[in-house]
Amino acid sequence: MRTSIATVCLSGSLTAKLHACAEAGFDGVEIMDTDLLVSYESPEEIRTLCERLGLSIDLFQPFRDFEGVEEEPLQDNLRRAEEKFQLMRRLGADTVLVCSNAGTATVDDDARVAEQLGRLADLAAGYDIRIAYEALAWGRFVNDYRHAWKLVEMADRPNLGTCLDSFHILARGHDPSAIEQIPGEKIYFLQLADAPQLDMDVLSWSRHHRLFPGEGSFDLTAFLTHVLRAGYRGPLSLEVFNDTFRQTDVVSTAAHARRSLTWLADRTAAANSWETDRLEDPQPLQDVDFVEISGNSLDDVDEMLAQLGFTFGGKHRSKPVRLWSLGESRIILNEQSREDSPRLSAVGVRVDSAEQAARRGAALGAPAVFRRTYAGEHVLHPVAAPDGTVVYWNDQPPEGTWIREFEGGDAESFDGSGRSGSRAACVDHINLSYRWHEFEEAVLFFHSVLGLSSQDAQDVPGPQGLVRSQVMRSTDGAVRLPLNLAPPTAPMPARHVAVGCTGIVELARAARRRGLQFLKVPDNYYADLRAKFGLQENFLTELQELDLLYDRSDSGEFIHFYTPTLGDVFLEMVERIGDYDGYGAPNAPVRLAAQRS
Ligand SMILES: O=C(O)c1ccc(O)c(O)c1
Ligand SMILES: [Mg+2]
């Protein structure tokens, strides 16, 4: 697989972009005219730099609005084109992108448009240039790839082909299967972009909200399958217009972009049982092994866990690390940390093969994390998520491995198996928050490295604007990670672990007796609950006395409460009744506001 990327995806000067593309391992680039015209380097200097960096210039995009015009403007368009062909000769680029006319077209006549494209191709032939004609989703008369291909076929020139762009095809809901009817050698170029499903005008959607493959909701695996079945063998090129990516660090965004193509090629090969470009398959996730909270003094967290009814599982025999558990939920407190305040620092998941999972992570560029282990200790293979949260894979039952390294736990109720108490508790979900420039990369990481799939994002009103919440989960829901994105200037929301339990009302009452203060819920909330659900008065009073929150769906009920925030982390206890499958989203504004006051 050859890979390429449009320079418009990235931030900075053209030379900085080219260096970053080479460093990320791309084979080539698409250069947009604007990137060149704002550069002080001559076309020859850019050509030499690309050669030195091992990058080919796979596509150049120098003008718009060529075809579908009357003869007089066409003459001027041909003149413009010839100047750009001369420039391409200096640049060493041999394929030019011509987008369907979105601005000046007045002629809706396929025969005349095909004839005009033919004249352009004949002019380009004198410069050994190929024309790749692309249907923009908002083209005036040509906005469907099948129409663009028909015009190319009608013009019938040896140096005229088409450029397919997944965004224009999938955003319009056009069936991509007809791609297989285009001869592969006539598909001159392939541009790939994912996008979230948005209900907005397609031009703004395209210019601001495209995403790298694996981060949105387009079925790019099926799309690429059609293109490869057609016989296309050119580069997979990313053309992702996105305001965030054009502001983030160019080197890390280029690496992030490159990983999205590794993921897409792997999943497409896997879906078709092709041998090439395959990685190890993602390991199905069984459940959450543990969650780790770090900080250099975690006494407050110990106290809070004891108040919640967690059992002390012992101290690690060689490190300042402690274990607490409630049922199957295990929380590790790690004081080997330079950070003052507690933060959620690691998540362990259980899989069939930790080594295979680690190999897939490495192939997708997830940085390996070194954690000191001593003789006889279970060796894990952690990697870092984009925000630094460490992810561990474990393929052994916890009682057979790392649990044994903890000594001096509460033997009465802690049976050494990692389980404690009789409550059927487990980690229900882990809520992670991201800064504006980390979010998409985190989605790609959890999707590609851990094999989690995205559910539809929701916007939750917070005190400083909408917080985007997107749940990533394993197929059976055993591992669920709601990811939160705060508005750019708002403080980062704290992260939290939600522990599922039964008998939450008694659990809350016992925690109160042990002195735990919950996050205070306003009385107005309970008046609203009464109006919304018509709850029994004594149940409502019980909820209110204990600061419990409540939600109900067609499939069940949800009762939950939050602890105060310690440093950057807090806990939530949740009880799911029936088949309730959400996260209490209607209550999130209450939590976000309470945490700010
Ligand atoms: O938004 C645009 O103008 C634009 C330009 C070139 C492309 O290949 C494209 O997909 C969109
Ligand atoms: Mg395009």
Side-chain angles (χ1 to χ4, degrees):
M1 162 185 72
R2 276 182 57 76
T3 59
S4 189
I5 181 168
T7 52
V8 284
C9 303
L10 302 169
S11 67
S13 67
L14 181 54
T15 54
K17 292 178 190 202
L18 293 173
H19 278 101
C21 294
E23 193 177 327
F26 283 99
D27 303 299
V29 287
E30 295 179 34
I31 298 181
M32 182 88 90
D33 204 23
T34 325
D35 267 322
L36 182 68
L37 72 88
V38 300
S39 295
Y40 291 96
E41 291 75 16
S42 67
E44 287 80 4
E45 283 169 325
I46 294 298
R47 173 190 193 141
T48 308
L49 177 61
C50 287
E51 281 166 6
R52 188 158 61 74
L53 293 171
L55 293 170
S56 51
I57 301 177
D58 294 326
L59 193 74
F60 186 62
Q61 194 194 138
F63 56 80
R64 289 163 192 268
D65 297 339
F66 170 78
E67 84 295 11
V69 295
E70 298 295 340
E71 186 57 30
E72 197 186 319
L74 188 81
Q75 284 300 331
D76 194 47
N77 291 350
L78 286 166
R79 179 196 60 76
R80 281 196 293 147
E82 185 154 21
E83 297 235 13
K84 296 298 177 179
F85 295 157
Q86 285 159 2
L87 170 65
M88 286 174 69
R89 202 172 241 181
R90 297 172 61 195
L91 204 51
D94 68 357
T95 306
V96 63
L97 181 72
V98 174
C99 301
S100 60
N101 193 330
T104 60
T106 51
V107 176
D108 183 16
D109 172 346
D110 283 357
R112 278 182 68 193
V113 172
E115 186 257 336
Q116 294 177 348
L117 289 172
R119 282 161 70 187
L120 182 68
D122 293 342
L123 180 65
Y127 294 86
D128 288 329
I129 284 173
R130 306 191 310 164
I131 311 252
Y133 182 56
E134 175 189 21
L136 295 181
W138 54 90
R140 174 90 170 86
F141 299 120
V142 180
N143 42 47
D144 181 326
Y145 78 98
R146 293 161 289 202
H147 190 184
W149 165 237
K150 181 180 163 209
L151 294 167
V152 168
E153 253 191 320
M154 287 170 72
D156 191 23
R157 297 297 202 283
N159 63 332
L160 177 65
T162 190
C163 167
L164 298 175
D165 178 325
S166 62
F167 181 87
H168 298 299
I169 296 170
L170 301 177
R172 294 286 308 263
H174 292 158
D175 179 359
S177 61
I179 290 172
E180 293 189 30
Q181 282 146 34
I182 307 176
E185 68 280 3
K186 279 297 202 183
I187 303 174
Y188 280 2
F189 208 67
L190 174 64
Q191 296 176 321
L192 293 163
D194 206 336
Q197 203 56 54
L198 296 174
D199 195 8
M200 67 189 299
D201 79 279
V202 72
L203 174 74
S204 309
W205 186 12
S206 174
R207 294 255 172 97
H208 299 280
H209 301 286
R210 290 188 183 205
L211 295 170
F212 293 124
E215 299 173 352
S217 38
F218 288 168
D219 186 352
L220 289 180
T221 306
F223 180 85
L224 182 56
T225 298
H226 293 308
V227 180
L228 296 176
R229 280 216 199 112
Y232 176 75
R233 295 293 173 263
L236 308 191
S237 188
L238 295 166
E239 189 191 36
V240 173
F241 305 95
N242 179 296
D243 299 332
T244 299
F245 302 153
R246 282 161 93 158
Q247 294 176 65
T248 46
D249 174 71
V250 63
V251 172
S252 62
T253 306
H256 160 195
R258 182 64 188 76
R259 285 201 294 279
S260 75
L261 285 182
T262 304
W263 168 82
L264 178 61
D266 167 59
R267 288 301 85 197
T268 307
N272 291 288
S273 304
W274 294 332
E275 299 281 309
T276 50
D277 300 321
R278 281 297 291 277
L279 310 178
E280 303 276 354
D281 276 331
Q283 291 279 303
L285 302 186
Q286 292 161 12
D287 51 26
V288 175
D289 195 15
F290 65 86
V291 179
E292 180 192 78
I293 295 171
S294 296
N296 63 19
S297 169
L298 298 173
D299 297 350
D300 291 352
V301 188
D302 286 296
E303 188 185 1
M304 189 164 84
L305 292 170
Q307 288 169 333
L308 282 170
F310 276 67
T311 302
F312 183 57
K315 288 186 176 168
H316 194 272
R317 61 184 182 225
S318 59
K319 302 178 228 183
V321 174
R322 304 187 280 281
L323 170 64
W324 289 86
S325 74
L326 184 68
E328 293 285 345
S329 64
R330 290 169 283 275
I331 297 188
I332 288 178
L333 303 188
N334 185 348
E335 288 185 335
Q336 285 179 308
S337 168
R338 282 190 217 106
E339 310 267 340
D340 277 342
S341 56
R343 62 185 191 95
L344 204 161
S345 49
V347 173
V349 290
R350 293 201 312 123
V351 292
D352 285 342
S353 166
E355 270 187 29
Q356 265 190 31
R359 280 201 297 269
R360 180 175 172 86
L364 285 158
V369 176
F370 175 75
R371 285 259 173 135
R372 190 187 299 276
T373 49
Y374 297 88
E377 283 179 14
H378 189 61
V379 181
L380 303 158
H381 302 280
V383 297
D387 64 310
T389 304
V390 178
V391 175
Y392 288 86
W393 290 284
N394 186 11
D395 52 16
Q396 310 285 320
E399 55 267 42
T401 54
W402 61 267
I403 294 269
R404 293 221 200 114
E405 294 161 19
F406 289 82
E407 298 166 346
D410 181 349
E412 286 283 292
S413 53
F414 192 82
D415 62 9
S417 69
R419 289 177 204 95
S420 67
S422 55
R423 249 178 251 286
C426 62
V427 171
D428 185 273
H429 59 274
I430 302 159
N431 201 302
L432 303 175
S433 38
Y434 288 89
R435 276 184 279 269
W436 64 275
H437 59 286
E438 294 170 338
F439 191 81
E440 316 301 351
E441 197 176 358
V443 171
L444 180 65
F445 172 84
F446 289 114
H447 189 37
S448 63
V449 177
L450 292 192
L452 300 179
S453 38
S454 307
Q455 295 185 284
D456 285 345
Q458 289 195 21
D459 285 329
V460 176
Q464 284 160 299
L466 295 180
V467 173
R468 180 165 16 136
S469 171
Q470 180 160 344
V471 177
M472 312 244 8
R473 56 178 272 167
S474 58
T475 320
D476 65 359
V479 176
R480 315 184 205 218
L481 306 179
L483 309 186
N484 285 345
L485 171 69
T489 53
M492 276 268 280
R495 300 165 154 227
H496 79 268
V497 191
V499 177
C501 64
T502 52
I504 192 163
V505 175
E506 300 85 76
L507 187 145
R509 208 171 271 131
R512 269 275 165 89
R513 269 199 311 274
R514 297 187 199 105
L516 183 70
Q517 291 303 314
F518 303 168
L519 189 70
K520 181 74 193 130
V521 177
D523 291 342
N524 296 335
Y525 169 78
Y526 295 97
D528 182 58
L529 268 193
R530 182 192 291 112
K532 228 168 32 193
F533 297 119
L535 297 178
Q536 298 244 324
E537 208 56 41
N538 53 351
F539 180 49
L540 197 64
T541 310
E542 197 163 45
L543 294 177
Q544 185 162 10
E545 272 170 17
L546 290 167
D547 289 303
L548 298 177
L549 297 120
Y550 177 86
D551 188 30
R552 190 161 78 201
S553 69
D554 290 345
S555 50
E557 294 168 289
F558 190 61
I559 307 176
H560 57 144
F561 69 86
Y562 299 100
T563 70
T565 304
L566 299 174
D568 263 336
V569 66
F570 61 96
L571 264 78
E572 176 184 6
M573 299 301 300
V574 313
E575 178 168 9
R576 295 177 182 275
I577 300 163
D579 290 327
Y580 182 92
D581 200 33
Y583 305 84
N587 300 331
V590 178
R591 164 171 72 82
L592 289 165
Q595 286 174 330
R596 291 284 293 146
S597 48

